[in-house]
Amino acid sequence: MLEFLRNLAKVLASYLPLPRRWAGLRATWPQLLLALLFFWLAVAITNWSYVEKIGGINVYGLSWLFSASFCTLAGAALAASLSGRAASARAVAIVLFITAGLVTLWTCAVWTFQEELWQRIPRYGILAAEAALIFVATCRTIPGTGWRQLWRKAVAGAIATGVAAAQMFYLPSDLVFYPPYEETAGVNEDEAPAVDVEALYLAQGPLLQGQVDALLPGTPGRPDLFAITLGGTAHQGVFLREVDAVNTLLSEDFGARGRILSLANSRRQPMRYPLANRVNLEAALGAIAAHANPTEDLTLLFMTSHGGEDVFSLSFWEAGTHDVTAAELANMLDRSGLRNVIIVLSACHAGSFIDELARDDRLIVTAAAADKRSFGCSDQADWTWWGRAYFDEALRQTRDFRTAFDLAQAQIGEWEAAEDYAPSEPQISIGADIGPKIDAWLERLDLRPERKADTAASDDRG
């Protein structure tokens, strides 16, 4: 262990222009194993800090961890071989594992204790910093001097850096731990029923088709609102509850009753709605497109879950679902042929979807900017912060999705300031052609008999 600490110090020193005496790792097999364990420990600590309470081991996360470790070893061997110093492969692997572990622990510490600093780190800034450290450390780890060897070192450093970047971008990743299944406040994890995955998938066709068969068509000559509501994360019940609440609001106050399709991942109620996966989402978009009038009707796509830059979580570990990227969602919408779409994304980093999704006939509202987090994903809550601010408060004051954004943005700012949270900076993108469609729908909505009665009752109370 003492030798490992010396290796750790030497890897740290290799990032700096220190004298050669700081170089020269002890690259034995036990030291390689300790470096690998250090990397695994760093990942475990980071995952634990994220889920806060461990409910179990996620096999998909373990698959990523083992795959990343194997790729690192292969990359180290390739880098050392191309440098002409094949015997340095173990040393390069030690450098890669220790560097990855140190960066992982550093990021964990920053987002845990310095959230405001974390929010200011530029996109891909951590990846770029890790790549630079790996390149420098790899070059300094491989022995040799002279221009020819320096060139080989540079190639080896580039290979090692490329392997690290490829793991970040292309290996399907997931958490090593998952949190307890506490989808409803006060429910003990042990009470959560086991998921029958075979029965779940057998039920998908009937679940989705049942909703589609019940869809009402658009009314010729007047604009109607259709909607797709989606809750993406199975192990937290707030997203399912938010879908239910938005469905009620749209049905009662927005004239969308009978024109809503819902998808949700739920560990405790897995067959409440069809799965929120990519296949069902595309099918739902196509079904709405087949029922809506493209020249008159509006379609609201509301999606609530966790998210990252250009990725939206559709997480149901037992069911093996995969997240949807911004490009995939954009392609689904384009293929569906839907027109006049209002997209509301409630997730961290949801603003990163705007550049892919923006069209002239779309209004896009996101809970956070591309590089910001949103808040309120608590199992003890009925709404996320953005869901409450936008749907439960703003859209009860106005039926205009554009005006509601301004109200919700101001409310979110007050809540974040009160809790000393880093601003999430909600975003809006208004296409050139969507405004008149919303105005026409609002005019028709105000003419509904039940809407007039509501207005009259409000005047009487006033």
Side-chain angles (χ1 to χ4, degrees):
M1 181 58 71
L2 183 61
E3 195 64 48
F4 173 73
L5 294 177
R6 291 195 183 100
N7 278 346
L8 181 61
K10 287 182 178 181
V11 171
L12 286 167
S14 69
Y15 306 147
L16 306 171
L18 295 177
R20 185 69 186 174
R21 63 186 176 85
W22 283 94
L25 296 175
R26 183 166 176 77
T28 62
W29 286 109
Q31 290 304 312
L32 175 59
L33 177 60
L34 287 173
L36 175 62
L37 293 176
F38 174 74
F39 169 60
W40 287 0
L41 179 62
V43 172
I45 291 172
T46 302
N47 282 192
W48 170 74
S49 71
Y50 181 78
V51 301
E52 296 182 353
K53 183 180 178 183
I54 297 173
I57 303 294
N58 178 19
V59 293
Y60 300 105
L62 287 180
S63 176
W64 165 80
L65 188 61
F66 293 149
S67 298
S69 301
F70 175 79
C71 289
T72 298
L73 291 171
L78 179 60
S81 178
L82 291 177
S83 72
R85 302 281 185 172
S88 300
R90 285 199 298 268
V92 174
I94 290 172
V95 166
L96 293 178
F97 284 131
I98 289 180
T99 300
L102 289 172
V103 172
T104 300
L105 290 174
W106 180 82
T107 57
C108 175
V110 171
W111 85 50
T112 302
F113 302 109
Q114 293 290 331
E115 187 171 331
E116 188 173 345
L117 173 61
W118 175 258
Q119 298 288 358
R120 291 200 296 265
I121 295 175
R123 297 177 70 182
Y124 304 118
I126 293 175
L127 177 61
E130 183 176 0
L133 293 177
I134 287 175
F135 180 83
V136 171
T138 301
C139 291
R140 288 176 59 85
T141 298
I142 295 174
T145 57
W147 285 108
R148 184 176 181 181
Q149 187 58 25
L150 288 176
W151 171 251
R152 287 182 172 180
K153 286 185 175 188
V155 171
I159 292 293
T161 302
V163 168
Q167 290 172 189
M168 293 285 290
F169 282 107
Y170 298 113
L171 275 184
S173 62
D174 211 330
L175 296 176
V176 174
F177 304 120
Y178 56 77
Y181 296 122
E182 296 173 346
E183 291 199 359
T184 305
V187 173
N188 187 285
E189 173 195 355
D190 296 333
E191 299 174 7
V195 176
D196 186 337
V197 178
E198 291 184 0
L200 178 62
Y201 273 97
L202 283 173
Q204 290 309 295
L207 283 172
L208 184 57
Q209 192 60 48
Q211 289 195 45
V212 172
D213 291 344
L215 274 179
L216 298 176
T219 307
R222 68 180 191 186
D224 287 305
L225 177 68
F226 288 79
I228 297 174
T229 57
L230 180 150
T233 299
H235 69 272
Q236 287 184 287
V238 63
F239 303 114
L240 175 62
R241 291 194 288 274
E242 199 160 65
V243 164
D244 286 338
V246 169
N247 288 349
T248 299
L249 178 68
L250 296 178
S251 296
E252 294 180 352
D253 295 344
F254 287 77
R257 189 182 302 277
R259 296 187 176 92
I260 303 173
L261 295 181
S262 296
L263 311 173
N265 293 329
S266 170
R267 176 59 166 67
R268 292 195 59 81
Q269 302 180 63
M271 297 189 192
R272 172 70 175 278
Y273 295 118
L275 284 172
N277 61 20
R278 293 175 297 183
V279 171
N280 285 348
L281 176 56
E282 183 152 23
L285 291 168
I288 294 293
H291 285 74
N293 186 323
T295 62
E296 297 176 337
D297 296 334
L298 299 176
T299 297
L300 169 67
L301 173 60
F302 168 59
M303 299 171 61
T304 179
S305 186
H306 296 290
E309 294 186 12
D310 293 317
V311 64
F312 185 92
S313 177
L314 302 178
S315 177
F316 195 158
W317 291 308
E318 290 88 344
T321 54
H322 296 281
D323 298 341
V324 63
T325 67
E328 288 170 340
L329 181 57
N331 289 334
M332 288 181 193
L333 283 161
D334 291 342
R335 286 194 296 266
S336 73
L338 274 173
R339 303 282 305 277
N340 313 321
V341 184
I342 300 163
I343 303 170
V344 181
L345 299 179
S346 180
C348 295
H349 307 284
S352 61
F353 276 62
I354 290 178
D355 56 349
E356 295 278 2
L357 299 182
R359 303 287 187 274
D360 285 344
D361 61 349
R362 292 178 189 168
L363 168 68
I364 304 170
V365 168
T366 69
D371 57 348
K372 302 293 183 180
R373 295 173 58 195
S374 58
F375 304 100
C377 303
S378 168
D379 279 330
Q380 282 67 46
D382 292 325
W383 295 90
T384 62
W385 278 20
W386 180 254
R388 172 175 286 110
Y390 190 72
F391 287 99
D392 196 39
E393 297 194 8
L395 283 174
R396 295 190 189 280
Q397 300 175 53
T398 176
R399 301 300 187 269
D400 191 328
F401 295 99
R402 299 159 295 185
T403 304
F405 172 81
D406 296 329
L407 297 173
Q409 183 182 44
Q411 181 64 78
I412 286 289
E414 292 179 8
W415 291 342
E416 290 171 343
E419 296 291 338
D420 198 26
Y421 287 170
S424 55
E425 298 180 12
Q427 303 288 301
I428 187 170
S429 170
I430 305 176
D433 300 333
I434 189 67
K437 300 297 182 180
I438 294 176
D439 292 337
W441 171 76
L442 286 171
E443 182 178 358
R444 178 252 160 175
L445 189 68
D446 285 338
L447 294 176
R448 289 187 305 149
E450 61 269 29
R451 181 76 179 126
K452 289 182 177 180
D454 290 345
T455 301
S458 177
D459 290 342
D460 291 342
R461 288 192 299 269

